[in-house]
Amino acid sequence: MTAFAAASASALFLPLSLSRPSKLFPKKVRTSIGVFALLGEDSGVSIDKKTWGALFDVEDPRPKALVSKGKILDVNQALEVARYDIQYLDWRARQDLLTIMILHDKVVDVLNPLARDYKSIGAVKKDLAGLQDELSQAHKQVHISEARVSAALDKLAYMEQLVHDRLLQDRTADSDQTQASASTSEQSLESVKRNVPRKTLNVSGPVKSYHPKLKNYWYPVAFTTDLKDDTMIPIDCFDQSWVIFRGQDGKPGCVKNTCAHRACPLDLGSINEGRIQCPYHGWEYSTDGKCEKMPSTRLVDVRIKALPCFEQEGMIWIWPGNEPPAATIPSLEPPEGFIIHAEIVMELPIEHGLLLDNLLDLAHAPFTHTSTFAKGWSVPSLVKFLTPVSGLEGYWDPYPIDMEFKPPCMVLSTIGISKPGKLEGQSTKQCSTHLHQLHVCLPSSKNKTRLLYRMSLDFAPILKHVPFMHYLWRHFAEKVLNEDLRLVLGQQERMLQGENVWNWPVAYDKLGVRYRQWREAVERGDKRIPFTK
C-alpha cells in the first residue's frame, strides 16, 4: 500500500454531516463534517523489528488522537482528525508489511539445512503449517486494506464534489442567507446526498448507430476449431454481413458476404481451392476480396471489400474499422494450468452493450440463477466489486470470483469452486479448483449479439475425453443464459420505450459503469480513454 493510498483511505473512512462552525476554529469554510475516526482499532501486531531499519520505526499515532468518535465537528476539526487517521493508516500499512517480511524470514529459517539437523521432519512440517496459516492471515489483512483504499477513493470523489458544491453555494449566496439556523445546517449525510445532483449514465431510447470509433479494435468473431479448410462462417458485425473462410495457404480471410455480380450471399456457395464460390454464377473470390474466376465470360478486375483478418490463440479476429489495425491483439487464453473444455457460439436478440452490462454484474446471481450455478447461494448483506482506481478488472466480495472487462467486448472471469452454496468468504486463491470463462459479445447489429463462450477447468482433465460431453456443456450454458435473457430482453424493451437502464447505479455496479464510461469516451473521440493504459 503506497503512502498516497494510505492517506486517501484514512481521510475518507469518515461519514459526513453538515453543522455550524465551532467557535474554537476560524470560519475558513462554512462546512463541517461529522467524523468517526479509524483510530483506536487494535492492530494485533507485536513483533520484533530486527534489522529492517527506519522504514518501520514509526511511532503509533493512536495515543495522540483527538477524542472525536461520534461527535459532529466542523471542517477544520475534521481535517485535524483526518491527519491523525492518515498517520494511523500509514503506520498500520507498515506493520502489515513488516509482519509478512518477518514471517518469510521465519520460513527461511525453518528450511535452513542446519536447522533441519536438529528437528524431525514432522516438527518442520508442523512449523511450516503454522507459518503458512500466519502468512494467510497476514495476506488477508492486506486485502482488507486494499478494500478500504478502494472504498475510500470512492468516498474521496464524493467528498470533493460535496465540498466544491458547498463552496460555490457559499460564494454566490447572499450575505443574509449565511445566518441559517442550526436545525437546517445540521443535516445528515443522507439528506445532503439527496440534495446533491447525482452523476448518472443515460442509456435509453432506440439504439443509435454504432460510432465509427468503436470499430477501430480487433474483434474475435469465431473459434479456430469451427473454421475447417472447406467450410465458411457467415457473421454480422456492426450491421454489415461478412463471411470467413481459409485461403489456399490455410490462413483465414474475411470478405463482404455479397457477390459483386448480382448481390447473392456468398455463404450460400462453397469453397473451391481456397476461394469462395458464388452459387449463382460461379464467381470465385480469394481471401483478399479479388475475383479470380468468372465462368462463361471474360475475366475483369473486380473486388469485394475484405477486412484485416488474423488467427491467434484459437480464435479468428477481424478489424472492422477504417483506421490502420493495431499491431497487437489482446490475449484471451485461459491461465496456465487450465484446459479448454467447451467453445460455444450463440446468436442472441440483444444489443451487445446490454449483454455486457449483465455479464459484468454478479450481484444478480442469487436472485436470477436460482436453478443453475447460484442455487443455494445466500444473499449477502453487502456485495462489492474491488478494483484499482483506474482499472477494468478486480474481484468480487464475498464471492471467490475474479473478473475483467477487456476492450472492446470481452469479459474474462475465474471462479473458485468450493462446496455448492458455500462460496462466501473465500478468494479464488484460497480455492483449490477453478473454472475460467471467456465471453465475447460481438455487436452484430443494433439489436443482435454474436456470443462466443469458452469454458476451461484446472481440474478433471478426463472430462475432455468423455463422449458427447460438449452437448452437456452447451445445455448447461444455455440454461444459465436463458435465466438472464428473459430479464435483459425486458430491459431492452423498456429501454426502447425511453426508460434509462442505468438510472440508479450503486456500489456493486462499478465494473459495468466503468465499461459504459469507457465506451462513451471512445464514441466521443476522447484523446485519453479512461481505465486503459
Side-chain angles (χ1 to χ4, degrees):
M1 179 187 298
T2 65
F4 174 77
S8 302
S10 62
L12 266 298
F13 274 98
L14 312 173
L16 314 177
S17 65
L18 301 182
S19 72
R20 300 180 65 180
S22 167
K23 295 181 180 180
L24 298 176
F25 293 85
K27 291 185 179 180
K28 297 179 182 178
V29 180
R30 286 195 306 276
T31 301
S32 62
I33 300 175
V35 180
F36 298 84
L38 287 174
L39 298 167
E41 178 185 337
D42 186 14
S43 71
V45 178
S46 179
I47 50 182
D48 181 13
K49 292 183 176 60
K50 290 190 174 181
T51 58
W52 296 115
L55 176 64
F56 301 106
D57 191 15
V58 177
E59 183 180 3
D60 183 350
R62 288 178 292 179
K64 297 182 180 180
L66 296 177
V67 181
S68 55
K69 186 174 182 181
K71 295 183 178 180
I72 302 297
L73 308 178
D74 67 30
V75 67
N76 302 295
Q77 291 173 308
L79 289 174
E80 184 69 12
V81 174
R83 184 174 71 84
Y84 280 108
D85 276 351
I86 291 171
Q87 293 176 357
Y88 165 72
L89 207 55
D90 176 72
W91 171 81
R92 179 55 193 260
R94 294 169 191 260
Q95 302 307 302
D96 292 341
L97 178 59
L98 180 60
T99 300
I100 292 175
M101 294 174 71
I102 290 179
L103 287 172
H104 277 292
D105 265 8
K106 288 182 179 180
V107 171
V108 172
D109 291 341
V110 171
L111 295 176
N112 189 319
L114 295 178
R116 292 204 302 267
D117 291 341
Y118 300 97
K119 289 186 177 182
S120 66
I121 294 178
V124 171
K125 287 184 176 179
K126 183 177 180 181
D127 290 345
L128 287 175
L131 290 172
Q132 186 176 8
D133 289 341
E134 291 183 56
L135 274 171
S136 177
Q137 291 300 318
H139 283 287
K140 185 180 293 185
Q141 179 60 44
V142 171
H143 286 308
I144 292 174
S145 298
E146 290 176 350
R148 284 179 168 177
V149 169
S150 178
L153 289 172
D154 288 341
K155 291 181 181 179
L156 177 60
Y158 171 74
M159 182 180 182
E160 289 176 344
Q161 180 185 351
L162 177 65
V163 173
H164 179 69
D165 291 345
R166 292 289 298 180
L167 285 172
L168 287 178
Q169 293 172 15
D170 290 340
R171 288 171 184 169
T172 57
D174 187 89
S175 58
D176 294 336
Q177 295 176 340
T178 59
Q179 305 299 325
S181 66
S183 60
T184 302
S185 59
E186 292 177 358
Q187 303 175 62
S188 68
L189 174 61
E190 292 304 317
S191 64
V192 172
K193 285 184 176 180
R194 285 194 292 269
N195 294 327
V196 175
R198 295 181 301 111
K199 293 182 178 180
T200 61
L201 297 165
N202 185 10
V203 182
S204 61
V207 180
K208 300 176 183 178
S209 297
Y210 288 111
H211 196 281
K213 292 287 185 182
L214 201 60
K215 301 178 183 180
N216 290 313
Y217 288 88
W218 282 107
Y219 282 84
V221 295
F223 292 112
T224 292
T225 52
D226 293 335
L227 188 62
K228 312 299 182 185
D229 291 339
D230 58 347
T231 62
M232 64 193 96
I233 300 177
I235 64 165
D236 290 332
C237 183
F238 291 109
D239 286 306
Q240 291 186 318
S241 297
W242 307 91
V243 60
I244 301 168
F245 63 101
R246 294 189 183 275
Q248 278 189 306
D249 57 2
K251 295 180 180 179
C254 179
V255 300
K256 188 176 180 180
N257 192 11
T258 305
C259 182
H261 180 209
R262 302 279 294 277
C264 180
L266 293 175
D267 70 289
L268 300 178
S270 58
I271 303 299
N272 181 27
E273 297 180 349
R275 299 181 297 271
I276 188 167
Q277 184 184 72
C278 177
Y280 208 173
H281 296 89
W283 290 24
E284 296 184 8
Y285 301 87
S286 57
T287 54
D288 63 358
K290 180 178 175 58
C291 184
E292 296 188 350
K293 278 193 176 183
M294 293 181 182
S296 307
T297 188
R298 182 173 61 88
L299 181 64
V300 294
D301 186 15
V302 174
R303 289 178 178 270
I304 56 176
K305 186 174 181 180
L307 297 179
C309 186
F310 199 77
E311 186 170 14
Q312 175 180 288
E313 297 175 351
M315 305 197 81
I316 310 296
W317 299 70
I318 64 170
W319 181 277
N322 295 322
E323 294 182 6
T328 58
I329 294 178
S331 176
L332 300 181
E333 276 195 316
E336 185 178 356
F338 283 76
I339 296 175
I340 297 172
H341 285 259
E343 292 180 334
I344 300 168
V345 181
M346 303 180 189
E347 303 289 344
L348 306 175
I350 297 291
E351 194 274 326
H352 91 290
L354 288 177
L355 187 58
L356 282 169
D357 291 341
N358 173 266
L359 293 171
L360 295 171
D361 166 29
L362 192 68
H364 73 277
F367 303 97
T368 305
H369 299 290
T370 53
S371 63
T372 54
F373 71 90
K375 186 176 183 178
W377 285 22
S378 60
V379 178
S381 57
L382 184 65
V383 176
K384 295 178 288 183
F385 184 77
L386 306 175
T387 180
V389 178
S390 59
L392 290 168
E393 75 286 335
Y395 62 94
W396 289 91
D397 178 15
Y399 303 120
I401 298 178
D402 300 335
M403 185 173 287
E404 176 183 7
F405 169 68
K406 188 163 287 191
C409 64
M410 292 84 78
V411 179
L412 298 99
S413 56
T414 301
I415 304 172
I417 300 175
S418 57
K419 296 179 180 179
K422 300 293 182 181
L423 296 181
E424 297 86 349
Q426 289 186 315
S427 69
T428 54
K429 293 181 180 179
Q430 292 175 305
C431 298
S432 58
T433 54
H434 305 82
L435 179 149
H436 184 267
Q437 296 185 114
L438 164 68
H439 292 86
V440 176
C441 300
L442 179 69
S444 300
S445 67
K446 289 186 288 187
N447 60 0
K448 190 174 74 171
T449 299
R450 179 178 173 86
L451 175 66
L452 278 66
Y453 173 74
R454 173 189 279 169
M455 189 272 289
S456 309
L457 303 173
D458 64 355
F459 64 98
I462 189 65
L463 293 178
K464 179 83 173 177
H465 309 287
V466 175
F468 308 112
M469 194 67 191
H470 62 285
Y471 292 110
L472 181 60
W473 291 131
R474 184 176 185 93
H475 169 75
F476 185 74
E478 289 179 344
K479 190 172 182 181
V480 172
L481 187 61
N482 284 334
E483 290 178 319
D484 284 317
L485 274 182
R486 67 186 186 90
L487 307 179
V488 182
L489 282 169
Q491 275 187 300
Q492 183 168 262
E493 182 181 343
R494 296 293 187 273
M495 180 185 74
L496 296 176
Q497 294 171 357
E499 297 292 341
N500 183 6
V501 297
W502 275 107
N503 185 54
W504 203 284
V506 294
Y508 54 65
D509 294 319
K510 183 183 296 182
L511 190 53
V513 169
R514 289 189 177 184
Y515 154 66
R516 287 292 179 174
Q517 291 171 337
W518 167 86
R519 180 171 168 179
E520 287 182 353
V522 170
E523 293 178 336
R524 285 194 306 265
D526 292 358
K527 292 183 178 180
R528 186 175 179 181
I529 305 300
F531 315 120
T532 56
K533 297 180 181 179

